[in-house]
Amino acid sequence: MTDADPTTILQGLRGSIDNIDAALIFLLAERFRCTKQVGVLKAQHGMPASDPAREEQQIARLKRLAAEADLDPAFAEKWFNFVVAEVIRHHRSAASDATDG
């Protein structure tokens, strides 16, 4: 046990959490920059916005990684599905823009 002030420990942990949250936001932004390019490419070549086979592979991969990282694989799948829904929305928008322009 430590004699450190619990408030000081809490502040330190919250600082770490804030830094991790910031990193996650920047990583998600970078991910969306990449998927936006994928959406434009798909739209230019008449490819479908979603790729169910790829999504299944990614879910299996992320669930494996989550288990290795001691994170609930079901949570990893929920997170992925949430992100992919937004990506597909962007891809459909890019496809619509491609046909309008």
Side-chain angles (χ1 to χ4, degrees), residues 18-94:
D18 291 350
N19 290 337
I20 293 165
D21 287 346
L24 288 170
I25 292 298
F26 282 97
L27 286 170
L28 280 170
E30 182 61 24
R31 188 186 196 286
F32 280 114
R33 277 188 281 280
C34 291
T35 58
K36 182 177 181 181
Q37 292 175 37
V38 169
V40 169
L41 183 67
K42 285 181 172 184
Q44 290 172 341
H45 296 281
M47 300 166 78
S50 68
D51 184 345
R54 163 88 171 143
E55 291 164 25
E56 285 181 31
Q57 292 170 347
Q58 284 297 94
I59 288 170
R61 177 179 162 271
L62 292 174
K63 287 171 81 172
R64 259 190 330 275
L65 291 171
E68 291 172 13
D70 199 25
L71 181 68
D72 181 2
F75 172 79
E77 182 175 4
K78 288 177 193 174
W79 170 83
F80 180 75
N81 287 331
F82 178 76
V83 170
V84 167
E86 183 67 9
V87 168
I88 290 170
R89 188 181 71 76
H90 291 176
H91 289 187
R92 288 185 176 142
S93 177

Side-chain angles (χ1 to χ4, degrees), residues 6-19:
T7 303
T8 302
I9 295 169
L10 182 61
Q11 288 174 339
L13 290 169
R14 285 180 172 166
S16 293
I17 290 167
D18 291 350
N19 290 337

